[in-house]
Amino acid sequence: MRVAPESLQQASGSLVAVGTRKRGDDDAPGAMEYLTSVLSAKGYDVAMESPLQLAVKLSERLGVSLWIKREDMQPVFSFKLRGAYNMMAKLSQAQLDRGVICSSAGNHAQGVALSAQRLGCDAVIVMPVTTPEIKWRSVERLGATVVLKGDSYEEAQSYAKLRCEQEGRTFVPPFDHPDVISGQGTVGMEIIRQLQGPLHAIFVPVGGGGLIAGIAAYVKRVRPEVKIIGVEPSDANAMALSLCHGQRVMLEHVSGFADGVAVKVVGEETFRLCQELVDGIVLVSREAICASIKEMFEEKRIILEPAGALALAGAEAYCKHYGLKGETVVAIASGANMNFERLRLVTELADVGRKREAVLATFLPEELGGFKKFAELIGRVNITEVRYRDDSGVKYALVLYSVGIYTDDALRAIVARMESSKLKTVNLTDNDLAKDHLRYFIRGRSEIKEEIIFRFIFPERPGPLKKFLDAFSPRGNISLFHYRAPGETGADVLVGVQVPAEDLGEFRSYADNLSYEYTSESNNEIYRLLLHSPEMRCC
C-alpha cells in the first residue's frame, strides 16, 4: 500500500496512531524472549553505557525534568553499534569466516564495520554513490570494504543482498531482526536502571523501528506504566502511517533531511512490536528539528545530526501540546554524525522552529510612498530581513520579509493591519516550497503559458542535471530552475517546464523512467501566488 507522507496531518505535539495498536497480554508470544534477550545482549563488548544527563535550561523552560540519553557519545557516535554487534556476535565461526555484508548510508555502516573489526571478520558495506565522502571514508578507516552502488538506498540494498547470495556472506539488517532489536533494547534497560522514581515517557526517534521496538519490548515488561512515544519527521512518517492503516505501508516519497530515519517502509517485526507496545507517534517539522539541534548546542555544546535531535523535538512539542508540568521525561539523542555542509540550513531554519522568526509576503501597490506605508503598518517589531525591488512595469510589487521573536497573536495582528489597508499578505512560515525555493524568485514573476512545476530530488553526485536535461530535451522548454544543495544525499530541485497539454502524459512517463523522486507543485497556491503575474495574484 503506497501512501503520501502529507496524507497524515496533526497538530504539533499531539499523538497519532493511539488506539490502533493490537496490544497483547503478558503471555503474548515473544514477550519474555525479548526481555531475556535484552538482558543477555552482547553489545557491551564494543558499546558503552551512555550517560543520562539532565537538560537544565530546557527543563526550566518547559516545566518538566527533561533527561537526555546520550547515544551520540558511542564510539561511532550512534546507537546503531548495539544492534549490529549483538547480532554479529551470535554468528557461528563458520559464518564469521565467510564474512558479513550490509547496506547503509551512514550510522549502521559504521556499527557493522566496527563490530567486524572487533570480531575479526571481513565486512563489505554497500553504500549509495550519493553518500558523502566523510561517511564512507569513516567506514573505510574501520577496516571494512566500501562499495558505492546505486543512487538510492533501495538500489544499494538490492546489490548487497545479491552479493550476499553469491558469496555466502551473512546480511546484517539495520533494524528488522530480533537480535538487532534486542541490542537496541539495551538503551531502554539502561534508562530504567539510571533513572529512579516516576517516569512519564521515553521519546524515541523512529526510522525502521528497531530502536523503539527494542526499548518498548523491555520497558513495557518491567515498567508498563511508562509511555513509549515515537517521534518521526512529518515528511518521513512511515511508522505513524503504518499504525494508522493497521498494516505496513510504503511512502511514495520521503524527505532525506533527517537521513538517519528516512525510510519508506518500516520493518515487519518492528511494526508488530510497535502495534502491541508503543503508545503513539509524534510528528515534527524540520524547523522543530533544527531548533532542537540549536537547543542542544546551547545546552551541552554538542551538535546532533537531525535524526539525533528528533526525539528532543518531539518531547518538547508533546510537553507544550498537552501542557505537561512537573513530570519526568527522557529523550534519546541517537546520533551526532552531522554533515558540516548541512549546518547552513540548520541555522536558517532553527529560529523559525522556535518561533523566533516568521516569513511573510506582502503585495505592495507600486505608487509613491508605498514602501513607507508598508513599514508603518508593520509596527514596532524586529525585522530580520526584507527583500523588495521597485518595478515600474507592474501594478503590484512583492515584498518578502522576516520578523523576529513573535507570538501567534502578534503575527496575526500584522497580517490584519496589512489586509485592512488592502495589502494582500501571506504567512509563509510553514510553507517549505516558499522557504526553500520561491523566496529566491522575487524578480522572477511572469505568466508563462503551459508551465508545469515539479520538485525533483537529484542525487548529490556529478551528472544528474545532464541526465535530467537529456531525458526531456527538446520535449519541453525549461522555464524555471532552482537548485539548493542541502548537505543531504539528495538535492531538492524546483523545475518549471513548458509542456503542451497533449504532451503531458508523455512528460510524466519520462519523469517516471528517470528514477528521480518528484512531486507536482503546479496547483500549489503559494506558487501561483508568488510566481504568476502580479495583476492575476492581487485582483
Side-chain angles (χ1 to χ4, degrees):
M1 182 177 181
R2 296 177 62 89
V3 297
E6 54 271 18
S7 65
L8 180 59
Q9 302 293 328
Q10 69 163 63
S12 176
S14 64
L15 288 176
V16 295
V18 179
T20 63
R21 57 193 182 280
K22 302 172 182 177
R23 187 180 297 279
D25 58 32
D26 289 345
D27 296 322
M32 183 58 70
E33 287 82 355
Y34 269 109
L35 179 64
T36 56
S37 293
V38 171
L39 289 170
S40 61
K42 301 177 181 295
Y44 294 109
D45 292 346
V46 291
M48 61 177 283
E49 179 172 321
S50 60
L52 189 65
Q53 299 176 344
L54 180 66
V56 178
K57 296 177 183 177
L58 281 170
S59 295
E60 291 177 353
R61 182 160 61 83
L62 294 174
V64 300
S65 293
L66 175 58
W67 294 80
I68 309 297
K69 181 63 171 169
R70 295 291 305 280
E71 283 299 289
D72 59 293
M73 296 177 66
Q74 293 292 350
V76 295
F77 309 106
S78 164
F79 74 94
K80 286 287 189 177
L81 178 63
R82 295 175 181 262
Y85 187 86
N86 188 51
M87 175 184 170
M88 292 169 61
K90 295 182 179 182
L91 298 177
S92 68
Q93 188 58 52
Q95 289 174 309
L96 291 174
D97 290 342
R98 288 192 295 270
V100 299
I101 190 169
C102 79
S103 52
S104 170
N107 294 342
H108 179 57
Q110 294 186 65
V112 172
L114 181 56
S115 299
Q117 183 188 82
R118 295 293 179 90
L119 293 167
C121 77
D122 179 68
V124 173
I125 313 294
V126 184
M127 309 179 83
V129 296
T130 55
T131 304
E133 183 177 358
I134 187 175
K135 289 191 175 183
W136 62 260
R137 288 291 187 192
S138 298
V139 175
E140 278 191 337
R141 282 193 291 271
L142 292 170
T145 300
V146 174
V147 177
L148 299 177
K149 192 75 174 180
D151 288 335
S152 66
Y153 172 76
E154 287 76 15
E155 292 177 17
Q157 185 182 60
S158 296
Y159 177 77
K161 290 187 174 181
L162 178 62
R163 281 194 60 169
C164 176
E165 295 176 2
Q166 293 174 340
E167 301 175 12
R169 294 177 179 270
T170 298
F171 184 80
V172 183
F175 46 80
D176 201 19
H177 189 282
D179 290 334
V180 174
I181 293 169
S182 297
Q184 321 297 31
T186 56
V187 176
M189 180 181 67
E190 291 175 11
I191 292 172
I192 297 302
R193 183 168 61 237
Q194 293 168 325
L195 191 61
Q196 303 301 315
L199 175 58
H200 177 77
I202 300 173
F203 291 85
V204 188
V206 180
L211 180 60
I212 192 171
I215 290 175
Y218 180 86
V219 174
K220 285 297 184 181
R221 189 73 182 179
V222 299
R223 294 281 301 275
E225 79 281 5
V226 176
K227 295 181 183 296
I228 305 299
I229 299 174
V231 186
E232 289 184 301
S234 56
D235 48 11
N237 51 0
M239 183 63 79
L241 277 164
S242 295
L243 292 172
C244 285
H245 287 282
Q247 62 175 308
R248 290 194 303 154
V249 302
M250 175 178 284
L251 297 184
E252 293 178 351
H253 51 88
V254 60
S255 169
F257 176 70
D259 54 350
V261 294
V263 302
K264 288 186 175 181
V265 183
V266 300
E268 184 176 355
E269 177 67 358
T270 60
F271 174 65
R272 182 184 74 82
L273 290 169
C274 287
Q275 272 192 311
E276 295 177 0
L277 303 171
V278 170
D279 293 283
I281 305 290
V282 169
L283 303 183
V284 296
S285 67
R286 59 178 181 164
E287 289 82 4
I289 297 171
C290 291
S292 290
I293 293 174
K294 182 177 180 180
E295 294 281 5
M296 280 307 295
F297 176 76
E298 294 175 346
E299 182 86 41
K300 301 292 184 183
R301 293 299 184 268
I302 61 170
I303 299 179
L304 298 175
E305 62 182 282
L310 184 60
L312 182 60
E316 179 166 352
Y318 175 92
C319 290
K320 289 180 177 178
H321 181 79
Y322 291 102
L324 204 66
K325 298 295 179 183
E327 299 282 3
T328 298
V329 298
V330 172
I332 297 172
S334 59
N337 288 300
M338 167 69 88
N339 293 338
F340 187 80
E341 294 79 5
R342 196 178 303 187
L343 287 175
R344 178 188 65 180
L345 182 59
V346 170
T347 301
E348 289 180 4
L349 298 178
D351 285 342
V352 174
R354 281 292 175 269
K355 291 193 173 182
R356 292 173 180 164
E357 185 178 66
V359 183
L360 302 167
T362 294
F363 298 95
L364 191 66
E366 285 289 21
E367 58 188 24
L368 188 64
F371 190 76
K372 180 181 179 182
K373 177 182 178 183
F374 159 79
E376 291 172 346
L377 288 170
I378 289 180
R380 298 181 62 84
V381 296
N382 179 34
I383 300 177
T384 57
E385 179 185 17
V386 176
R387 297 186 182 199
Y388 165 71
R389 177 73 165 89
D390 180 38
D391 189 346
S392 59
V394 299
K395 184 178 179 181
Y396 291 91
L398 174 64
V399 184
L400 284 172
Y401 54 106
S402 301
V403 296
I405 307 177
Y406 68 95
T407 64
D408 290 339
D409 288 342
L411 202 58
R412 283 192 289 267
I414 294 174
V415 175
R417 286 197 299 271
M418 295 293 179
E419 295 285 357
S420 65
S421 296
K422 303 191 183 310
L423 300 183
K424 184 175 180 60
T425 298
V426 183
N427 185 355
L428 304 177
T429 307
D430 296 323
N431 190 283
D432 291 343
L433 179 65
K435 289 180 292 186
D436 290 348
H437 297 289
L438 301 185
R439 67 191 298 180
Y440 300 100
F441 284 90
I442 188 170
R443 297 289 293 169
R445 307 182 310 277
S446 61
E447 181 62 19
I448 298 176
K449 294 182 179 180
E450 298 180 323
E451 182 183 54
I452 54 177
I453 301 292
F454 290 92
R455 293 176 79 173
F456 282 86
I457 303 298
F458 278 22
E460 276 289 270
R461 61 178 177 83
L465 177 58
K466 184 179 185 304
K467 181 180 178 181
F468 174 85
L469 295 175
D470 288 345
F472 296 115
S473 180
R475 298 175 183 84
N477 175 55
I478 303 297
S479 55
L480 178 151
F481 192 91
H482 184 242
Y483 164 86
R484 190 165 183 258
E488 305 169 18
T489 55
D492 187 349
V493 182
L494 186 69
V495 181
V497 187
Q498 286 181 277
V499 180
E502 61 271 18
D503 296 336
L504 189 57
E506 181 185 19
F507 176 87
R508 287 187 175 274
S509 176
Y510 281 108
D512 292 337
N513 293 333
L514 191 60
S515 76
Y516 295 169
E517 289 187 14
Y518 74 95
T519 55
S520 173
E521 297 286 2
S522 295
N523 293 324
N524 188 300
E525 181 182 356
I526 300 301
Y527 150 69
R528 303 187 69 82
L529 196 64
L530 298 189
L531 291 193
H532 278 201
S533 63
E535 286 72 17
M536 288 190 62
R537 290 194 309 268
C538 301
C539 59

